[in-house]
Amino acid sequence: AQSVSQHNHHVILSEAASLELGCNYSYGGTVNLFWYVQYPGQHLQLLLKYFSGDPLVKGIKGFEAEFIKSKFSFNLRKPSVQWSDTAEYFCAVNRNSGNTPLVFGKGTRLSVIA
Amino acid sequence: GAVVSQHPSWVICKSGTSVKIECRSLDFQATTMFWYRQFPKQSLMLMATSNEGSKATYEQGVEKDKFLINHASLTLSTLTVTSAHPEDSSFYICSARDPGPSSQPQHFGDGTRLSIL
């Protein structure tokens, strides 16, 4: 079975700082990778996804993530965070076959301070 | 974009009550929906996969007689927590995927906060 590890439980950054959130997964086969964001009081929203092609994917709101197959990693980055990026970030993976559900990491809470 | 509607958003009830949560895909048909449970400050844990017209597939450790899932149409799945007890208090979230391959994103409802007294 797949599993997803997010290394940082809570990250606190000042506005304009750069962000990198770690995500590693364990699964030997082909996977699809996702990052979701959950703003306070809201439902999960898709930031970006990777399923094939260029391993560097760009998402909404200036976020990007890089798939490094050899490291089983899919880290999320943003060059300059804003206060409005304060949220919970979830990395998720599913097998690239059939109608398989997403398996989520524990999430990383990002707090951006002015 | 695709929207998943979940109702109710918050339920408070006495121990022993059965509670039904509805999940609807509003602008697309979903042959498969997923039910997750999220404890405070923890991740989403998959409970079951709901398949339209057939039995749900439950994850290990999830009691199928406790959490009844019905997926009667292509746009509606329901989760019934039977004889709920305080330990069932949690945040329940449904999800549906756009039709197509597994690389299609899952869309999530707003969740239902269940509090059992």
Coordinates of all heavy atoms in Angstrom, one line a residue, chain B residues 19-96:
Chain B
V19 N -27.0 8.9 12.0 CA -26.8 10.2 11.3 C -26.5 9.9 9.9 O -25.6 9.1 9.6 CB -25.6 11.0 11.9 CG1 -25.4 12.3 11.2 CG2 -25.9 11.3 13.4
K20 N -27.2 10.6 9.0 CA -26.9 10.4 7.5 C -26.3 11.6 7.0 O -26.8 12.7 7.2 CB -28.3 10.1 6.8 CG -28.0 9.9 5.3 CD -29.3 9.8 4.5 CE -30.0 8.5 4.6 NZ -31.1 8.3 3.7
I21 N -25.2 11.4 6.2 CA -24.5 12.5 5.5 C -24.6 12.3 4.0 O -24.4 11.2 3.5 CB -23.0 12.5 6.0 CG1 -22.9 12.7 7.5 CG2 -22.3 13.7 5.3 CD1 -21.5 12.4 8.0
E22 N -25.0 13.4 3.3 CA -25.2 13.3 1.9 C -24.0 13.9 1.1 O -23.5 15.0 1.6 CB -26.5 14.0 1.4 CG -27.7 13.3 1.9 CD -29.0 13.9 1.3 OE1 -28.9 15.0 0.7 OE2 -30.0 13.3 1.4
C23 N -23.6 13.4 0.0 CA -22.6 13.9 -0.8 C -23.1 13.9 -2.2 O -23.4 12.8 -2.8 CB -21.3 13.0 -0.7 SG -19.9 13.6 -1.7
R24 N -23.0 15.0 -2.8 CA -23.5 15.2 -4.2 C -22.5 15.8 -5.1 O -21.8 16.8 -4.8 CB -24.8 16.1 -4.3 CG -26.0 15.5 -3.6 CD -27.2 16.5 -3.6 NE -28.3 16.0 -2.8 CZ -29.2 15.1 -3.2 NH1 -29.2 14.6 -4.5 NH2 -30.2 14.7 -2.4
S25 N -22.4 15.2 -6.3 CA -21.5 15.9 -7.3 C -22.5 16.7 -8.1 O -23.5 16.3 -8.7 CB -20.9 14.8 -8.2 OG -21.8 14.0 -8.8
L26 N -22.2 18.0 -8.2 CA -23.2 19.0 -8.7 C -23.2 19.1 -10.2 O -24.2 19.4 -10.9 CB -23.0 20.3 -8.1 CG -23.3 20.4 -6.6 CD1 -23.2 21.8 -6.0 CD2 -24.7 19.8 -6.3
D27 N -22.0 19.0 -10.9 CA -22.0 19.3 -12.3 C -21.2 18.2 -13.1 O -20.8 18.4 -14.2 CB -21.4 20.7 -12.6 CG -20.1 20.8 -12.0 OD1 -19.6 19.9 -11.3 OD2 -19.5 21.9 -12.1
F28 N -21.1 17.0 -12.4 CA -20.5 15.9 -13.2 C -21.0 14.6 -12.5 O -21.6 14.6 -11.4 CB -19.0 16.0 -13.1 CG -18.4 15.8 -11.8 CD1 -17.8 14.6 -11.4 CD2 -18.4 16.9 -10.9 CE1 -17.3 14.4 -10.1 CE2 -17.8 16.7 -9.6 CZ -17.3 15.5 -9.2
Q29 N -20.9 13.6 -13.3 CA -21.4 12.3 -12.8 C -20.2 11.5 -12.2 O -19.1 11.4 -12.8 CB -22.0 11.5 -13.9 CG -23.3 12.1 -14.4 CD -24.0 11.2 -15.5 OE1 -23.3 10.5 -16.2 NE2 -25.3 11.3 -15.5
A30 N -20.4 11.0 -11.0 CA -19.3 10.3 -10.3 C -19.7 8.9 -10.1 O -20.5 8.6 -9.2 CB -19.0 11.0 -9.0
T31 N -19.1 7.9 -10.8 CA -19.4 6.5 -10.5 C -18.8 6.1 -9.2 O -19.2 5.1 -8.6 CB -18.9 5.6 -11.7 OG1 -17.5 5.9 -11.9 CG2 -19.6 5.9 -13.0
T32 N -17.8 6.8 -8.8 CA -17.1 6.5 -7.6 C -16.9 7.7 -6.7 O -16.5 8.8 -7.2 CB -15.7 5.9 -7.9 OG1 -15.8 4.8 -8.8 CG2 -15.0 5.5 -6.6
M33 N -17.2 7.6 -5.5 CA -17.0 8.6 -4.5 C -16.2 8.0 -3.3 O -16.2 6.8 -3.1 CB -18.3 9.2 -4.0 CG -19.0 10.0 -5.1 SD -20.5 10.8 -4.4 CE -21.1 11.7 -5.8
F34 N -15.5 8.9 -2.6 CA -14.7 8.4 -1.5 C -15.1 9.1 -0.2 O -15.4 10.3 -0.2 CB -13.2 8.7 -1.8 CG -12.7 8.2 -3.2 CD1 -12.6 9.0 -4.2 CD2 -12.4 6.9 -3.3 CE1 -12.2 8.6 -5.5 CE2 -11.9 6.4 -4.5 CZ -11.8 7.2 -5.6
W35 N -15.1 8.4 0.8 CA -15.4 8.9 2.2 C -14.1 8.9 3.0 O -13.5 7.9 3.2 CB -16.5 8.2 2.8 CG -17.8 8.4 2.2 CD1 -18.4 7.7 1.2 CD2 -18.7 9.5 2.5 NE1 -19.6 8.3 0.9 CE2 -19.8 9.4 1.7 CE3 -18.6 10.6 3.4 CZ2 -20.9 10.3 1.7 CZ3 -19.7 11.5 3.4 CH2 -20.8 11.4 2.6
Y36 N -13.8 10.1 3.6 CA -12.6 10.2 4.5 C -13.1 10.7 5.8 O -14.2 11.3 6.0 CB -11.7 11.3 3.9 CG -10.9 10.9 2.6 CD1 -11.6 11.1 1.4 CD2 -9.7 10.3 2.6 CE1 -10.9 10.7 0.2 CE2 -9.0 10.0 1.5 CZ -9.6 10.2 0.2 OH -9.0 9.9 -0.9
R37 N -12.2 10.5 6.8 CA -12.4 10.9 8.2 C -11.2 11.7 8.6 O -10.0 11.2 8.3 CB -12.7 9.7 9.1 CG -13.0 10.0 10.5 CD -13.4 8.7 11.2 NE -13.7 9.0 12.6 CZ -14.2 8.0 13.4 NH1 -14.3 6.8 13.0 NH2 -14.4 8.3 14.7
Q38 N -11.4 12.8 9.2 CA -10.2 13.6 9.6 C -10.4 14.0 11.1 O -11.3 14.7 11.5 CB -10.1 14.9 8.8 CG -8.9 15.7 9.0 CD -8.9 17.0 8.2 OE1 -9.9 17.5 7.7 NE2 -7.7 17.5 7.9
F39 N -9.4 13.5 11.9 CA -9.4 13.9 13.3 C -8.6 15.2 13.4 O -7.8 15.6 12.6 CB -8.7 12.8 14.1 CG -9.6 11.6 14.3 CD1 -9.3 10.4 13.5 CD2 -10.7 11.6 15.1 CE1 -10.1 9.3 13.6 CE2 -11.5 10.4 15.2 CZ -11.2 9.3 14.5
P40 N -8.9 15.9 14.5 CA -8.2 17.3 14.7 C -6.7 17.2 14.5 O -6.0 16.3 15.1 CB -8.6 17.6 16.1 CG -9.9 16.9 16.4 CD -9.8 15.6 15.6
K41 N -6.2 18.1 13.7 CA -4.8 18.2 13.4 C -4.1 16.9 12.9 O -3.0 16.7 13.0 CB -4.0 18.6 14.7 CG -4.5 20.0 15.2 CD -3.7 20.4 16.4 CE -4.2 21.8 16.9 NZ -3.4 22.3 18.0
Q42 N -5.0 16.1 12.2 CA -4.4 14.9 11.6 C -4.9 14.9 10.1 O -5.6 15.8 9.6 CB -4.9 13.7 12.3 CG -4.4 13.5 13.7 CD -4.7 12.2 14.3 OE1 -4.8 11.2 13.6 NE2 -4.9 12.1 15.6
S43 N -4.4 13.9 9.4 CA -4.6 13.9 8.0 C -6.0 13.2 7.7 O -6.7 12.8 8.6 CB -3.5 13.1 7.3 OG -3.7 13.1 5.9
L44 N -6.3 13.2 6.4 CA -7.5 12.5 6.0 C -7.2 11.1 5.9 O -6.3 10.6 5.2 CB -8.0 13.0 4.6 CG -8.6 14.4 4.6 CD1 -7.6 15.5 4.7 CD2 -9.4 14.6 3.3
M45 N -8.1 10.3 6.5 CA -7.9 8.8 6.4 C -9.1 8.3 5.6 O -10.2 8.5 5.9 CB -8.0 8.2 7.8 CG -6.9 8.7 8.8 SD -5.2 8.3 8.1 CE -5.2 6.5 8.2
L46 N -8.8 7.5 4.6 CA -9.8 6.9 3.7 C -10.6 5.9 4.5 O -10.0 5.0 5.1 CB -9.1 6.3 2.5 CG -10.1 5.6 1.5 CD1 -10.9 6.7 0.8 CD2 -9.3 4.8 0.5
M47 N -11.9 6.0 4.5 CA -12.8 5.1 5.1 C -13.2 4.0 4.1 O -13.2 2.8 4.4 CB -14.0 5.8 5.7 CG -13.6 6.7 6.8 SD -15.1 7.6 7.4 CE -16.0 6.2 8.1
A48 N -13.7 4.5 3.0 CA -14.3 3.6 2.0 C -14.5 4.2 0.7 O -14.4 5.4 0.5 CB -15.7 3.2 2.5
T49 N -14.6 3.4 -0.3 CA -14.8 3.8 -1.7 C -16.2 3.4 -2.0 O -16.6 2.2 -1.9 CB -13.8 3.1 -2.6 OG1 -12.5 3.5 -2.3 CG2 -14.1 3.5 -4.1
S50 N -17.0 4.4 -2.5 CA -18.4 4.2 -2.8 C -18.6 4.0 -4.3 O -18.2 4.9 -5.0 CB -19.2 5.4 -2.3 OG -20.5 5.4 -2.7
N51 N -19.2 2.9 -4.7 CA -19.3 2.6 -6.1 C -20.8 2.6 -6.4 O -21.6 1.9 -5.8 CB -18.7 1.2 -6.4 CG -17.3 1.1 -6.1 OD1 -16.4 1.9 -6.6 ND2 -17.0 0.3 -5.1
E52 N -21.2 3.4 -7.5 CA -22.6 3.5 -7.9 C -23.1 2.1 -8.3 O -22.5 1.5 -9.1 CB -22.7 4.5 -9.0 CG -24.1 4.8 -9.4 CD -24.6 4.0 -10.5 OE1 -23.8 3.4 -11.3 OE2 -25.9 3.8 -10.6
G53 N -24.2 1.7 -7.7 CA -24.9 0.5 -8.1 C -24.3 -0.8 -7.5 O -24.7 -1.9 -7.9
S54 N -23.2 -0.6 -6.7 CA -22.7 -1.8 -6.1 C -22.2 -1.5 -4.7 O -22.3 -0.4 -4.2 CB -21.5 -2.4 -6.9 OG -20.4 -1.4 -6.9
K55 N -21.7 -2.6 -4.0 CA -21.3 -2.4 -2.6 C -20.1 -1.5 -2.5 O -19.2 -1.6 -3.3 CB -21.1 -3.8 -2.0 CG -22.3 -4.6 -1.8 CD -22.0 -5.9 -1.1 CE -23.2 -6.8 -0.9 NZ -22.9 -8.1 -0.2
A56 N -20.0 -0.9 -1.4 CA -18.8 0.0 -1.1 C -17.6 -0.9 -0.7 O -17.8 -2.0 -0.2 CB -19.1 1.0 0.0
T57 N -16.5 -0.4 -0.9 CA -15.2 -1.1 -0.5 C -14.7 -0.4 0.7 O -14.3 0.8 0.6 CB -14.2 -1.1 -1.6 OG1 -14.7 -1.6 -2.8 CG2 -12.9 -1.9 -1.2
Y58 N -14.6 -1.1 1.8 CA -14.1 -0.5 3.1 C -12.7 -0.7 3.3 O -12.1 -1.8 3.0 CB -15.0 -1.0 4.2 CG -16.4 -0.6 4.2 CD1 -17.3 -1.2 3.4 CD2 -16.8 0.5 5.0 CE1 -18.7 -0.8 3.4 CE2 -18.1 0.9 5.0 CZ -19.0 0.3 4.2 OH -20.4 0.7 4.2
E59 N -12.0 0.3 3.9 CA -10.6 0.1 4.3 C -10.5 -0.8 5.6 O -11.5 -0.9 6.3 CB -10.0 1.5 4.6 CG -9.9 2.3 3.3 CD -9.1 1.7 2.2 OE1 -7.9 1.5 2.4 OE2 -9.6 1.5 1.1
Q60 N -9.4 -1.3 5.7 CA -9.2 -2.2 6.9 C -9.4 -1.4 8.2 O -8.9 -0.3 8.4 CB -7.7 -2.7 6.9 CG -7.5 -3.8 7.9 CD -6.1 -4.4 7.7 OE1 -5.2 -3.9 6.9 NE2 -5.8 -5.5 8.4
G61 N -10.2 -2.0 9.1 CA -10.4 -1.4 10.4 C -11.7 -0.6 10.4 O -12.1 -0.1 11.5
V62 N -12.3 -0.4 9.3 CA -13.6 0.4 9.2 C -14.8 -0.6 9.2 O -14.8 -1.5 8.4 CB -13.6 1.3 7.9 CG1 -15.0 2.0 7.9 CG2 -12.5 2.3 7.9
E63 N -15.6 -0.4 10.2 CA -16.8 -1.3 10.3 C -17.9 -1.0 9.3 O -18.5 0.1 9.4 CB -17.3 -1.2 11.7 CG -16.4 -1.5 12.8 CD -17.0 -1.3 14.2 OE1 -18.1 -1.9 14.5 OE2 -16.5 -0.4 15.0
K64 N -18.1 -1.9 8.4 CA -19.1 -1.7 7.4 C -20.5 -1.6 7.9 O -21.4 -1.0 7.3 CB -19.0 -2.7 6.2 CG -19.2 -4.1 6.7 CD -19.1 -5.1 5.5 CE -19.4 -6.5 5.9 NZ -19.2 -7.4 4.8
D65 N -20.8 -2.3 9.0 CA -22.1 -2.3 9.6 C -22.3 -1.0 10.4 O -23.5 -0.6 10.7 CB -22.3 -3.5 10.5 CG -22.3 -4.8 9.7 OD1 -22.7 -4.7 8.6 OD2 -21.9 -5.8 10.3
K66 N -21.2 -0.3 10.8 CA -21.3 0.9 11.5 C -21.5 2.1 10.6 O -22.2 3.0 10.8 CB -20.0 1.0 12.3 CG -19.8 2.4 13.1 CD -20.7 2.3 14.3 CE -20.3 3.5 15.1 NZ -21.2 3.6 16.3
F67 N -20.7 2.0 9.5 CA -20.7 3.1 8.5 C -21.3 2.6 7.2 O -20.6 2.0 6.4 CB -19.3 3.6 8.3 CG -18.6 4.2 9.5 CD1 -17.7 3.4 10.3 CD2 -18.9 5.5 10.0 CE1 -17.2 3.9 11.4 CE2 -18.3 6.0 11.1 CZ -17.4 5.2 11.9
L68 N -22.6 2.8 7.1 CA -23.3 2.3 5.9 C -23.2 3.3 4.8 O -23.5 4.5 4.9 CB -24.8 2.1 6.3 CG -25.1 1.1 7.4 CD1 -26.6 1.0 7.6 CD2 -24.5 -0.3 7.1
I69 N -22.8 2.8 3.6 CA -22.7 3.7 2.4 C -23.6 3.2 1.4 O -23.7 2.0 1.0 CB -21.2 3.6 1.9 CG1 -20.3 4.3 3.0 CG2 -21.1 4.3 0.6 CD1 -18.9 4.2 2.7
N70 N -24.3 4.2 0.8 CA -25.2 3.9 -0.3 C -24.9 4.8 -1.4 O -24.9 6.1 -1.3 CB -26.7 4.1 0.1 CG -27.7 3.7 -0.9 OD1 -27.7 4.2 -2.0 ND2 -28.5 2.7 -0.6
H71 N -24.7 4.3 -2.6 CA -24.4 5.2 -3.8 C -25.5 4.8 -4.9 O -25.2 4.1 -5.8 CB -23.0 4.8 -4.3 CG -22.4 5.8 -5.2 ND1 -21.1 6.0 -5.3 CD2 -23.0 6.6 -6.1 CE1 -20.8 6.9 -6.2 NE2 -22.0 7.3 -6.7
A72 N -26.6 5.4 -4.6 CA -27.8 5.0 -5.4 C -27.9 5.6 -6.8 O -28.5 5.1 -7.7 CB -29.1 5.4 -4.7
S73 N -27.2 6.7 -7.0 CA -27.2 7.4 -8.3 C -25.8 7.9 -8.7 O -24.9 7.9 -7.8 CB -28.2 8.5 -8.3 OG -27.7 9.7 -7.7
L74 N -25.6 8.4 -9.9 CA -24.3 8.9 -10.3 C -23.9 10.2 -9.7 O -22.8 10.7 -9.9 CB -24.3 9.0 -11.8 CG -24.3 7.7 -12.6 CD1 -24.5 7.9 -14.1 CD2 -23.0 6.9 -12.3
T75 N -24.9 10.8 -8.9 CA -24.5 12.1 -8.3 C -24.7 12.1 -6.8 O -24.5 13.2 -6.2 CB -25.4 13.2 -8.9 OG1 -26.8 12.9 -8.7 CG2 -25.1 13.4 -10.4
L76 N -25.1 11.0 -6.2 CA -25.4 11.0 -4.8 C -24.8 9.8 -4.1 O -25.1 8.6 -4.5 CB -26.9 11.1 -4.5 CG -27.3 11.0 -3.1 CD1 -26.8 12.1 -2.2 CD2 -28.9 10.9 -3.0
S77 N -24.1 10.0 -3.0 CA -23.6 8.9 -2.1 C -24.0 9.4 -0.7 O -23.9 10.6 -0.4 CB -22.1 8.7 -2.3 OG -21.7 7.8 -1.3
T78 N -24.4 8.5 0.1 CA -24.7 8.8 1.5 C -23.9 7.9 2.4 O -23.7 6.7 2.1 CB -26.2 8.6 1.8 OG1 -26.6 7.2 1.6 CG2 -27.1 9.5 0.9
L79 N -23.5 8.5 3.5 CA -22.8 7.8 4.6 C -23.7 7.9 5.8 O -24.1 9.0 6.3 CB -21.5 8.4 4.9 CG -20.8 8.0 6.2 CD1 -20.3 6.5 6.1 CD2 -19.5 8.8 6.5
T80 N -24.1 6.7 6.4 CA -24.9 6.7 7.6 C -24.1 6.1 8.7 O -23.6 5.0 8.6 CB -26.2 5.9 7.4 OG1 -27.0 6.4 6.3 CG2 -27.1 5.9 8.7
V81 N -23.9 6.9 9.8 CA -23.2 6.5 11.0 C -24.3 5.9 11.9 O -25.2 6.7 12.4 CB -22.5 7.6 11.6 CG1 -21.7 7.1 12.8 CG2 -21.5 8.3 10.7
T82 N -24.3 4.6 12.0 CA -25.4 4.0 12.8 C -25.1 3.9 14.3 O -23.9 3.7 14.7 CB -25.7 2.6 12.3 OG1 -24.5 1.8 12.5 CG2 -26.1 2.6 10.8
S83 N -26.1 4.2 15.1 CA -25.9 4.1 16.6 C -24.6 4.8 17.0 O -23.7 4.2 17.5 CB -25.9 2.7 17.0 OG -25.9 2.6 18.4
A84 N -24.5 6.1 16.6 CA -23.3 6.8 16.9 C -23.0 7.0 18.3 O -23.8 7.1 19.2 CB -23.4 8.2 16.2
H85 N -21.7 6.9 18.6 CA -21.2 7.1 20.0 C -20.1 8.2 20.0 O -19.6 8.6 18.9 CB -20.6 5.8 20.5 CG -21.6 4.7 20.7 ND1 -22.5 4.7 21.8 CD2 -21.9 3.6 20.0 CE1 -23.3 3.7 21.7 NE2 -23.0 3.0 20.6
P86 N -19.8 8.7 21.2 CA -18.8 9.8 21.2 C -17.5 9.6 20.5 O -17.0 10.5 19.9 CB -18.6 10.0 22.7 CG -19.9 9.6 23.4 CD -20.4 8.4 22.5
E87 N -17.1 8.4 20.4 CA -15.8 8.1 19.7 C -16.0 8.2 18.2 O -15.0 8.3 17.4 CB -15.3 6.7 20.0 CG -16.2 5.6 19.7 CD -17.1 5.1 20.9 OE1 -17.4 6.0 21.8 OE2 -17.4 4.0 20.9
D88 N -17.2 8.3 17.7 CA -17.5 8.6 16.3 C -17.4 10.0 15.9 O -17.5 10.4 14.7 CB -18.8 8.0 15.9 CG -18.9 6.5 16.1 OD1 -17.9 5.8 15.8 OD2 -20.0 6.0 16.5
S89 N -17.3 10.9 16.9 CA -17.2 12.3 16.7 C -16.0 12.6 15.9 O -14.8 12.2 16.2 CB -17.1 13.1 18.0 OG -18.3 12.9 18.7
S90 N -16.1 13.3 14.7 CA -15.0 13.5 13.8 C -15.5 14.4 12.7 O -16.6 14.9 12.7 CB -14.5 12.2 13.3 OG -13.3 12.4 12.6
F91 N -14.6 14.7 11.8 CA -14.9 15.5 10.6 C -14.9 14.5 9.4 O -13.9 13.8 9.1 CB -13.8 16.6 10.4 CG -14.2 17.6 9.4 CD1 -15.3 18.4 9.6 CD2 -13.3 17.9 8.4 CE1 -15.7 19.4 8.7 CE2 -13.7 18.9 7.5 CZ -14.8 19.7 7.7
Y92 N -16.1 14.4 8.8 CA -16.2 13.4 7.7 C -16.2 14.2 6.3 O -17.0 15.2 6.2 CB -17.5 12.6 7.8 CG -17.4 11.7 9.0 CD1 -17.8 12.2 10.3 CD2 -17.0 10.4 8.9 CE1 -17.8 11.3 11.4 CE2 -16.9 9.6 10.0 CZ -17.3 10.0 11.3 OH -17.3 9.2 12.4
I93 N -15.5 13.8 5.4 CA -15.3 14.5 4.1 C -15.5 13.5 3.0 O -15.0 12.4 3.0 CB -13.9 15.1 4.0 CG1 -13.6 16.0 5.2 CG2 -13.8 15.9 2.7 CD1 -12.1 16.5 5.2
C94 N -16.4 13.9 2.0 CA -16.6 13.1 0.9 C -15.8 13.7 -0.3 O -15.5 14.9 -0.3 CB -18.0 12.9 0.5 SG -18.8 14.4 -0.2
S95 N -15.6 12.9 -1.3 CA -14.8 13.3 -2.4 C -15.2 12.6 -3.7 O -15.7 11.4 -3.6 CB -13.3 13.0 -2.2 OG -12.5 13.3 -3.3
A96 N -15.2 13.2 -4.8 CA -15.5 12.6 -6.1 C -14.5 13.0 -7.1 O -14.0 14.1 -7.1 CB -16.9 12.9 -6.5

